[in-house]
Amino acid sequence: MNALKDTKYGLSITEISRKSGMNRNSAAKYLAILVTLGQVEMQIVGPARVYHLSSRIPMSSAALNRFPDPIISVSDDGTVRKINKAFQICWNIEKNQLAGVSLKDVPLPALREIADFSEYRKALDGEAAETNIWKKVSGGSVLYWLSPAVFDDGSLGVIISLRKNE
């Protein structure tokens, strides 16, 4: 991970093994583990695999439920994966009303708006927002923040926190 820390465009396995002093096979095994954990991302560029540090937040179901803010997780195909208890209470909504539903079809207008934001599409692609501040949606009556995430099963997506602006 130190070898990847200061790279702008990422490194190949060969470059990582040279920088770290590790043999190529060991580097490849460690990179596979780091990709699975969501700490490193890999892109195929021509014949090479290029690795870079991930900007995604590792998110487990247990962590989601410990957040004090209302949080939902959204898979990379745009469907709601899970919602935490704080979200259910804040928005007076049951899990089964959202889980498995496309963000564009959920019964909360603020979430449907977020689904159209370029920031949301960038987060799905793994780009972190420039700032993690609360932003306004739905005419200012709702606040949100979002972040790219990697879930405990290795799949990618986004977490969104949504609360009423009171």
Side-chain angles (χ1 to χ4, degrees):
M1 291 189 62
N2 283 335
L4 292 170
K5 187 169 50 174
D6 297 323
T7 65
K8 185 173 183 179
Y9 299 107
L11 298 172
S12 69
I13 293 175
T14 303
E15 294 167 323
I16 292 168
S17 67
R18 281 187 197 137
K19 272 186 107 170
S20 66
M22 182 182 303
N23 83 40
R24 191 184 182 291
N25 290 338
S26 294
K29 288 178 185 176
Y30 284 117
L31 284 166
I33 292 167
L34 291 170
V35 167
T36 301
L37 293 173
Q39 295 180 0
V40 171
E41 292 187 24
M42 186 266 303
Q43 294 176 306
I44 296 177
V45 179
R49 292 180 180 176
V50 177
Y51 297 85
H52 55 90
L53 293 178
S54 178
S55 60
R56 295 180 185 273
I57 295 173
M59 182 59 58
S60 68
S61 297
L64 183 78
N65 288 322
R66 287 190 177 97
F67 268 91
D69 289 319
I71 302 278
I72 67 166
S73 61
V74 180
S75 64
D76 62 353
D77 68 358
T79 58
V80 176
R81 289 173 51 102
K82 296 183 180 180
I83 66 175
N84 69 1
K85 192 69 173 170
F87 195 96
Q88 292 176 62
I89 293 167
C90 178
W91 295 101
N92 194 28
I93 197 160
E94 295 296 320
K95 287 180 184 182
N96 61 359
Q97 292 178 274
L98 293 180
V101 177
S102 169
L103 202 60
K104 293 183 179 196
D105 297 327
V106 296
L108 294 171
L111 284 175
R112 290 196 306 268
E113 282 182 58
I114 291 169
D116 291 329
F117 293 169
S118 64
E119 178 187 19
Y120 166 73
R121 288 189 295 281
K122 287 178 182 178
L124 281 175
D125 290 335
E127 291 182 43
E130 293 176 21
T131 59
N132 280 328
I133 59 171
W134 290 94
K135 297 178 185 174
K136 294 179 180 179
V137 69
S138 290
S141 64
V142 176
L143 300 173
Y144 79 96
W145 65 259
L146 54 82
S147 179
V150 58
F151 303 111
D152 45 6
D153 63 359
S155 62
L156 306 176
V158 174
I159 56 170
I160 301 172
S161 184
L162 191 71
R163 69 179 187 192
K164 297 174 183 173
N165 187 14
E166 300 176 289

